[in-house]
Amino acid sequence: MIPLTEKTVRASFVNASRREAADLTLPPDFADLDWTDLEYLGWRDPRLARRAYVVVPTLDADGEPGPAVAGVVLRQAEASPRQRAQCTWCQDVRLPADVLFYG
């Protein structure tokens, strides 16, 4: 992933208001991230228990990661479903802990 600045991350969110983007808490180790090891940037907001963020590189015309990124705010569903609900993206990831459902 290309190295990102705080300003670029905050400006990348497609489903957040300017105020929400300005108020979000960046990951605590943001300044020390090794961008070469990342395919995307994702983190949970320590101030807002039901909120998480993901920033992914967009693809250019050749299908290669381009210089632009798109960010999405994820909000955890209020009610717990009867069964463990997961999106396809989360089902593909192998984690040692349960995955939360975001809507």
Side-chain angles (χ1 to χ4, degrees):
M1 187 165 174
I2 59 171
L4 301 174
T5 64
E6 178 179 342
K7 182 178 179 180
T8 304
V9 170
R10 292 184 188 281
S12 73
F13 289 95
V14 296
N15 68 335
S17 68
R18 288 183 186 163
R19 181 177 179 152
E20 287 175 318
D23 289 344
L24 69 84
T25 304
L26 290 172
D29 58 346
F30 182 77
D32 301 321
L33 288 173
D34 182 3
W35 296 100
T36 59
D37 284 345
L38 297 177
E39 293 182 29
Y40 65 91
L41 176 63
W43 73 101
R44 295 192 61 171
D45 194 321
R47 293 184 306 141
L48 303 168
R50 295 185 171 274
R51 188 162 300 168
Y53 311 96
V54 64
V55 179
V56 297
T58 58
L59 301 180
D60 64 15
D62 297 324
E64 297 296 321
V69 292
V72 179
V73 177
L74 304 169
R75 292 173 182 87
Q76 184 178 348
E78 292 291 329
S80 298
R82 289 184 171 205
Q83 296 178 350
R84 185 173 148 190
Q86 284 183 340
C87 65
T88 305
W89 189 15
C90 294
Q91 288 175 352
D92 190 46
V93 177
R94 303 283 185 244
L95 297 174
D98 287 338
V99 176
L100 297 172
F101 180 64
Y102 287 87

